[in-house]
Amino acid sequence: MPTPYRFLTSLLVSYKGRKILIDCGEGTQVSMKLLAWGFKAIDVICITHAHADHVLGLPGLLATIRNSERTEPITIIGPKGIREVVKGLLVIVPYLGFELRIIEDPKDAFVIDEQLSIHSMPLDHTIPCLGYKFVIKRFPRFDVQKAEQNGVPKKYWSRLQKGETVEEAGVIYTPDLVLGEERSGIQLTYVTDTRPFPGLVDFVRGSNLLICEGMYGSDDEQDKAIRNKRMTFREAAQLAKEAAVDELILTHFSPSLFDPNQYLEATRAIFPNTHLGEDRLVRKLKFKDEEE
C-alpha cells in the first residue's frame, strides 16, 4: 500500500537511448519526473503480476505517454491473464494513439536487438507472477591479425564483427574467422513477490545485479513469509550467495517495515554486498573491463 515515506514498486532500465519499465505501481510517474528521465522513450513494459501495487500506475503512465504524442507501438510483457488486466485498466484511457502489443506468459526470450534480450521465469506467488532477467551480450574483440590470416576481405569485417555470416562466390565467411575470445556481458535480474525455490538459483546465477524482494526483515516473520509467499531478508541474501551474484539490492518492503536498516548488518553477514533499495536509487552497470 502507498505510504508517505515510500513509493510503490517500479524499476526503469535505460539502455542505448531506449527505456524499459518493470512494474508500474502508484507514484511511478512522480519518481520519473523527479529523475527527469522522460516517458516517450519507453518501448517495453514488463509486468511481474497483476496485484494492484504493481499495475495501478499503468493507466496514468500510458496517458502521459499519449500526451507526449508518441506513435510507435509499446510492448507489454506479463504473466497469464495480463491481457485482460490491461484491457480493464484502460477503460479510463480509451484512446492512446499508439498500438499496445501484449505478450502473455512468454515461453521464449524477448529480443530487443542483437545484444539485449529479456528472459522470464514463473515465480512462486499467490497468483501468476514472473521474474525478469536482462542479458546484454558483448561481442568479442575484433582480431585484425586473425582476419588477415584467414583471408577475410576487409569489406566484410564490420558485418562479421556484428555476428553476421557472409557468402561471396561460394565462399562462406563466419564471425569466428575475425573475432577473438568471448567477453562477459551484463546480467540484471529482477525478482519480487515469490518464495525461494530451487530453480530460482539457476535463473539468477551470475547476475551482476540482483534486485530482489525483502518483504520481511526479521526472521521471526518466517511463517508470515511462507503464508504470503514472500521472502525475508535472510532468504534473499541466501539466494544471492548461492547464485554467486555481484550485488544484491533489496526492495518491496512491507509497509510495517519502517526502518529496513536495522536488519542490514545481519543480512550482510550472509551476503556482504547487500544494499537497500530506495526511491530513485540509480545504478550504472558497466562491462567488467570498463569498471573503474
Side-chain angles (χ1 to χ4, degrees):
M1 65 184 71
T3 70
Y5 53 88
R6 186 184 301 142
F7 279 87
L8 293 183
T9 304
S10 190
L11 170 71
L12 188 63
V13 176
S14 181
Y15 166 77
K16 291 169 63 173
R18 70 170 73 237
K19 292 183 175 62
I20 301 167
L21 187 71
I22 303 92
D23 282 339
C24 192
E26 295 173 69
T28 294
Q29 289 194 79
V30 178
S31 274
M32 289 179 65
K33 283 183 177 292
L34 290 170
L35 282 171
W37 273 22
F39 301 91
K40 193 174 182 178
I42 295 176
D43 295 318
V44 180
I45 301 174
C46 301
I47 302 296
T48 58
H49 63 296
H51 278 157
D53 55 324
H54 294 256
V55 297
L56 280 187
L58 189 59
L61 176 72
L62 292 174
T64 298
I65 294 174
R66 175 196 63 191
N67 293 341
S68 73
E69 299 184 351
R70 180 190 175 99
T71 57
E72 298 83 6
I74 291 178
T75 299
I76 295 181
I77 304 173
K80 184 177 181 179
I82 196 63
R83 187 182 306 276
E84 193 65 23
V85 170
V86 172
K87 180 181 177 181
L89 290 170
L90 290 184
V91 167
I92 58 174
V93 192
Y95 172 74
L96 289 177
F98 53 84
E99 178 188 0
L100 284 183
R101 297 173 177 172
I102 299 179
I103 300 176
E104 185 172 284
D105 193 20
K107 304 302 180 186
D108 301 307
F110 181 77
V111 178
I112 300 291
D113 59 25
E114 68 274 7
Q115 284 186 277
L116 175 62
S117 57
I118 303 175
H119 306 251
S120 62
M121 180 182 191
L123 302 179
D124 182 16
H125 194 41
T126 56
I127 65 172
C129 183
L130 296 177
Y132 290 99
K133 178 168 62 179
F134 299 82
V135 177
I136 302 176
K137 295 181 180 179
R138 196 169 192 200
F139 297 123
R141 293 187 189 278
F142 186 84
D143 189 328
V144 175
Q145 184 178 2
K146 188 176 182 180
E148 291 176 342
Q149 288 176 347
N150 287 319
V152 179
K154 287 187 177 181
K155 62 182 178 180
Y156 298 135
W157 285 9
S158 177
R159 292 172 62 185
L160 292 168
Q161 186 179 15
K162 295 177 181 178
E164 293 184 41
T165 295
V166 181
E167 182 177 356
E168 179 186 51
V171 179
I172 297 176
Y173 300 99
T174 56
D176 61 282
L177 297 176
V178 302
L179 298 179
E181 295 181 357
E182 292 289 332
R183 295 187 289 176
S184 59
I186 293 174
Q187 182 172 303
L188 163 67
T189 308
Y190 184 88
V191 174
T192 187
D193 291 67
T194 185
R195 288 292 301 150
F197 57 94
L200 188 56
V201 174
D202 288 335
F203 182 70
V204 168
R205 191 179 304 281
S207 297
N208 301 91
L209 175 60
L210 167 62
I211 300 174
C212 184
E213 77 147 80
M215 186 71 172
Y216 304 106
S218 172
D219 292 341
D220 294 338
E221 296 186 283
Q222 179 71 46
D223 290 343
K224 190 184 293 185
I226 294 172
R227 184 167 63 251
N228 295 325
K229 289 189 176 289
R230 307 302 301 269
M231 281 197 224
T232 64
F233 277 27
R234 176 181 294 277
E235 288 173 320
Q238 190 64 39
L239 171 64
K241 180 180 179 180
E242 292 180 19
V245 308
D246 293 339
E247 180 182 6
L248 168 66
I249 293 181
L250 293 169
T251 187
H252 206 313
F253 310 122
S254 166
S256 62
L257 186 54
F258 185 77
D259 182 17
N261 276 289
Q262 64 182 307
Y263 303 104
L264 187 55
E265 184 177 349
T267 306
R268 284 178 171 168
I270 301 170
F271 188 77
N273 199 18
T274 299
H275 302 276
L276 298 176
E278 57 188 64
D279 293 337
R280 293 170 298 284
L281 173 67
V282 177
R283 279 285 190 276
K284 186 172 184 179
L285 301 182
K286 297 182 179 181
F287 293 115
K288 289 290 186 181
D289 60 357
E290 291 181 347
E291 295 177 352
E292 297 179 355

